[in-house]
C-alpha cells in the first residue's frame, strides 16, 4: 500500500478539479480554507496508507477521487452545521438542565421573533420621544403577578443573588441557616457567592435544625440582612426544624436596618400544590408575608427564558437598578421579550397558563399519558415488526433541581428491538436521527416518556424508530 502514497494528487491539482471548486462556492469559502481542509484529509489518508490500515479506494483511481470528494463534502457539512441542535426530550424530565430547561410558549416565541427582527422601544419612551429604561417592560407585569412594589430582571437567579448581596450587604453581615447553605447544579454555592460578593456570611443553627433564637442571637450592629434560601434540590427529613418566613419577617421588622431576603429558587407563579404537586411556595404569598425582597429563576417552574427576577420593596429595587453591576448583569431584549410573553400568558388566566409548556407538562395526568402511550405503541407496532413495545406505569421527574421529592405519576413506553441492544438503539436515536431523540435505558429496554414530547414529535419518533429498524435489519 505504501507505494500508492505518491499517487495521491497534489492539493493544488485537486483544487482545480471542478467538483472541489463547486464545493468552495457552495460554502462560500476561499481557496486557502479549502486547501487546509484537503491537506487535513490527505494527510490522514497518507498516514493510513503508510501504516497499512487504509481501507478505502486505491489512490490514482477515479473511485479514490470520488471518495476524497465525499469526505471533503462531509467535513464541510460538519463544519457548517449548528452545534446547538433541537432535541426531542423523551426522558419525561421537564426542566432537564442538560437539555435547555424550559421550552417557551408560542406567545413568548412570537414576541421574541418580533423583537429580534425589528427595532423596538427597548429603551425609548414613545409618548415623549425620549430615552427610556429597559427595566420598565416587564416590571408592571411582575408587580401585578407577585404583588411586589417594584421589580427588575437580571441574567439569571445566580446573578440576582450576587447583585442583592453585593449592593445591599457589602462588607456587612448576612445571617443564613446552616441547613440552607445549598449548592446548586455544578458551581453555585451560597457560601461561595456570598464570599465573592463581599458580604460576610454568619451561619446559624445546624444542618437539620435552626430555631428563631439562633437568628436573634446572631444579630449585631453589622447585620445587614437575614437571608432565607429555598432548599430547592434536596430535602432534609426526620428530626428537622427551620424557621417560618413570618417569624423571620417579624425579627427583621424589629431592626429597621435589617433587610429580609428570600432566594426562592424556582419561584412558582402558579400554585401547583392545588393539584397535589409539590409544596412550592407561590411568589405572591411570600411577598404578602412581608419579605423585603425575593429572587427567582425565569427558566425553572416559571417556564420562561433564562433570567433572574428580583421583586420587593421599591427603595431596595431602586438601589439595585442604580448599582453599576445592574449594567453588567442586564438582560438582552430577546430575554425581555420572552419573559414578557410568558408573564402575559400568566396574567391572562388559567387557559393561557396551560399554553406554557412547563406548566402543561407538569399538569399532564397519568390518564392522558396512558392514552397517548397506547396510541404510540399501536402506531409503532403497526408500522414496524422489529420492536416489542409495552406501556408501564412509572414516574417523571420535574428536574432542574426543583421539587426533588415530587414524582409525577406517568405511563411510559418500554421498547425492545429484535435486531439491536437498547444501548445501540438509544445511540442511533441520538446520533443518526435529526432531530436527535434522548430517552432512558433500563434493563436493556429503551424507555420513552411522552410527558415531555409534543404530538408532532411523536410522529418524528415513530418515523425514526421505523427507519432505524429498517437500516439495522438490512445490515444483518
Ligand atoms: C436554581 C437556583 C439558583 C440559581 O438560579 P439560576 O437561574 O440557575 O442561576 C439560585 N438559588 C436557588 C435556591 C436555586 O434553586
Amino acid at each position: 500500500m505504501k507505494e500508492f502514497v505518491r499517487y495521491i494528487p497534489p492539493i493544488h491539482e485537486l483544487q482545480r478539479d471542478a467538483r472541489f471548486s463547486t464545493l468552495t462556492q457552495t460554502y462560500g469559502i476561499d481557496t486557502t480554507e479549502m486547501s487546509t481542509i484537503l491537506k487535513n484529509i490527505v494527510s490522514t489518508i497518507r498516514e493510513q496508507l503508510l501504516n497499512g490500515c487504509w481501507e478505502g479506494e486505491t489512490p490514482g483511481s477515479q473511485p479514490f477521487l470520488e471518495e476524497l470528494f465525499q469526505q471533503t463534502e462531509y467535513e464541510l457539512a460538519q463544519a457548517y452545521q449548528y452545534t446547538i441542535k433541537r432535541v426531542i426530550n423523551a426522558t419525561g424530565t421537564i426542566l432537564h438542565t442538560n437539555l435547555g430547561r424550559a421550552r417557551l410558549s408560542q406567545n413568548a416565541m412570537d414576541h421574541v421573533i418580533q423583537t429580534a427582527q425589528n427595532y423596538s422601544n427597548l429603551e425609548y419612551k414613545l409618548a415623549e420621544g425620549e430615552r427610556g429604561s429597559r427595566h420598565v417592560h416587564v416590571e408592571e407585569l411582575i408587580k401585578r403577578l407577585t404583588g411586589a412594589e417594584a421589580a427588575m430582571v437580571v441574567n439569571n437567579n445566580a446573578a440576582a443573588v450576587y447583585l442583592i448581596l453585593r449592593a445591599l450587604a457589602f462588607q456587612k453581615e448576612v445571617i443564613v441557616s446552616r441547613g440552607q447553605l445549598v449548592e446548586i447544579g455544578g458551581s453555585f454555592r451560597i457560601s461561595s457567592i456570598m464570599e465573592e460578593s463581599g458580604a460576610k456570611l454568619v451561619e446559624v443553627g445546624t444542618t437539620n435544625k435552626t430555631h428563631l433564637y439562633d437568628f436573634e442571637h446572631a444579630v449585631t450592629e453589622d447585620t445587614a440582612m437575614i437571608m432565607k434560601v429555598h432548599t430547592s434540590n434536596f430535602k432534609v427529613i426526620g428530626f428537622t426544624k427551620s424557621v417560618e418566613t413570618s417569624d423571620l419577617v417579624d425579627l427583621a421588622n424589629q431592626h429597621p436596618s435589617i433587610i429580609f431576603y428570600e432566594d426562592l429558587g424556582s419561584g412558582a407563579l402558579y400554585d401547583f400544590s392545588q393539584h397535589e404537586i409539590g409544596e412550592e411556595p407561590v411568589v405572591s404569598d411570600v411577598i404578602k408575608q412581608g419579605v423585603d425582597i425575593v429572587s427567582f429563576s425565569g427558566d425553572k417552574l416559571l417556564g420562561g427564558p433564562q433570567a433572574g427576577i428580583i421583586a420587593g420593596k421599591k427603595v431596595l429595587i431602586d438601589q439595585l437598578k442604580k448599582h453599576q453591576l445592574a449594567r453588567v448583569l442586564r438582560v438582552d431584549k430577546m430575554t425581555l421579550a420572552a419573559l414578557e410573553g410568558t408573564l402575559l400568558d400568566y396574567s391572562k388566566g388559567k387557559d393561557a397558563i396551560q399554553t406554557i409548556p412547563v406548566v402543561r407538562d407538569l399538569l399532564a395526568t397519568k390518564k392522558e399519558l396512558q392514552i397517548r402511550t397506547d396510541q404510540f405503541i399501536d402506531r409503532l407496532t403497526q408500522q414496524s415488526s422489529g420492536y416489542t413495545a409495552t406501556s408501564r406505569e412509572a414516574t417523571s421527574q420535574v428536574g432542574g433541581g426543583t421539587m426533588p421529592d415530587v414524582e409525577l405519576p406517568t405511563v411510559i413506553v418500554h421498547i425492545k428491538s429484535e435486531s439491536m441492544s437498547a444501548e445501540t438503539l438509544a445511540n442511533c436515536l441520538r446520533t443518526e436521527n435529526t432531530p436527535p431523540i434522548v430517552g432512558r435505558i433500563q434493563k436493556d429496554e429503551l424507555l420513552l416518556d411522552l410527558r415531555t414530547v409534543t404530538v408532532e414529535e411523536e410522529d418524528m419518533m415513530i418515523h425514526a424508530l421505523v427507519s432505524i429498524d429498517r437500516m439495522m435489519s438490512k445490515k444483518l
Side-chain angles (χ1 to χ4, degrees), residues 101 156-158 184 188 229-230 232 263 265 297 300:
R101 281 197 190 161
N156 56 8
N157 191 29
I184 291 129
F188 179 84
V229 184
H230 188 61
S232 324
D263 171 8
S297 291
K300 288 188 183 169

Side-chain angles (χ1 to χ4, degrees), residues 11 15 29-40:
I11 305 292
Q15 293 251 58
I29 58 175
D30 58 19
T31 45
T32 326
E33 203 171 329
M34 188 58 160
S35 143
T36 312
I37 292 167
L38 284 171
K39 270 184 202 153
N40 280 337

